[in-house]
């Protein structure tokens, strides 16, 4: 029961945060993609930083566990293209679509239903897609730690790179915010 309540609390907290940053607004999301607003990209990069540090802390304490899935360039590349097209067409990623539906945005309902339909089609054809898309370019379970075997150094490097990205987004896109 504790895990369920923790998951519920985490989901509500995350939904609140993405609503406050404006990620449930297709218009604000489009402005971020057009590099006219920096709030959403900075939020997403900061979320990666916090997640990396938090996961490292949980693993160090012995309570965190990760499931590393195999990396396949073709499958991941195709998924990225489909994801990007869907996000570009509707203005929502899957997570923000859920939150926008909860907020009452009617356009998000169609994005949400499209995401469910896409997931159903993928689930139906998954066993046929594995040998075609996954297997030819399957590199196995690779992580940043494979290249930098000292985990604290890998986490520090990840945090440094993403912090630099937050700074760069703020410098490059933040200037445009002033001209709104």
């Amino acid at each position: 029961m504790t895990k369920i309540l923790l998951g519920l609390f985490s989901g509500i907290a995350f939904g609140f945060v993405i609503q406050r940053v404006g990620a449930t607004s297709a218009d604000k999301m489009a402005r971020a993609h057009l590099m006219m607003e920096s709030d959403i990209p900075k939020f997403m990069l900061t979320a990666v930083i916090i997640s990396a540090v938090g996961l490292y802390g949980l693993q160090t304490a012995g309570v965190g566990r990760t499931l590393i899935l195999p990396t396949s360039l073709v499958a991941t590349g195709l998924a990225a293209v489909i994801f990007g097209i869907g996000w570009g067409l509707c203005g929502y990623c899957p997570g923000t679509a859920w939150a926008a539906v909860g907020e009452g945005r009617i356009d998000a309902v169609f994005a949400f239903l499209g995401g469910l339909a896409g997931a159903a089609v993928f689930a139906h054809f998954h066993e046929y897609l594995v040998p075609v898309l996954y297997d030819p370019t399957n590199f196995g379970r690779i992580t940043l730690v494979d290249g930098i075997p000292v985990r604290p150094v890998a986490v520090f490097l990840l945090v440094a790179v993403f912090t630099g990205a937050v700074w760069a987004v703020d410098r490059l896109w933040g200037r445009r915010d002033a001209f709104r």
Side-chain angles (χ1 to χ4, degrees):
M1 185 65 169
T2 302
K3 288 182 181 181
I4 292 173
L5 291 176
L6 184 60
L8 180 64
F9 172 76
S10 299
I12 291 170
F14 187 69
F16 175 79
V17 171
I18 65 173
Q19 193 279 334
R20 295 302 302 153
V21 80
T24 57
S25 165
D27 181 54
K28 189 157 182 164
M29 195 71 78
R31 292 179 61 77
H33 286 157
L34 294 170
M35 298 182 181
M36 297 170 68
E37 284 191 21
S38 62
D39 295 344
I40 294 171
K42 289 189 304 187
F43 161 72
M44 294 169 76
L45 292 165
T46 303
V48 171
I49 294 169
I50 293 168
S51 298
V53 172
L55 184 58
Y56 173 70
L58 290 171
Q59 288 177 336
T60 302
V63 295
R65 168 178 95 76
T66 57
L67 173 63
I68 309 299
L69 298 175
T71 300
S72 172
L73 292 181
V74 171
T76 303
L78 182 60
V81 168
I82 293 170
F83 182 90
I85 290 171
W87 196 347
L89 287 174
C90 69
Y92 297 104
C93 75
T96 59
W98 279 83
V101 167
E103 194 177 77
R105 295 183 183 266
I106 299 301
D107 60 331
V109 171
F110 295 102
F112 176 77
L113 293 174
L116 288 178
V121 168
F122 175 77
H124 181 73
F125 291 107
H126 182 263
E127 68 182 88
Y128 305 108
L129 295 174
V130 169
V132 176
L133 298 178
Y134 288 82
D135 294 342
T137 58
N138 184 344
F139 287 92
R141 294 179 167 109
I142 57 174
T143 66
L144 182 62
V145 177
D146 295 334
I148 304 168
V150 181
R151 190 172 296 268
V153 173
V155 171
F156 176 79
L157 180 62
L158 179 79
V159 169
V161 167
F162 276 80
T163 300
V166 170
W167 177 83
V169 165
D170 190 50
R171 295 284 297 158
L172 297 173
W173 299 7
R175 293 181 181 167
R176 295 186 183 175
D177 289 347
F179 300 110
R180 279 190 269 159

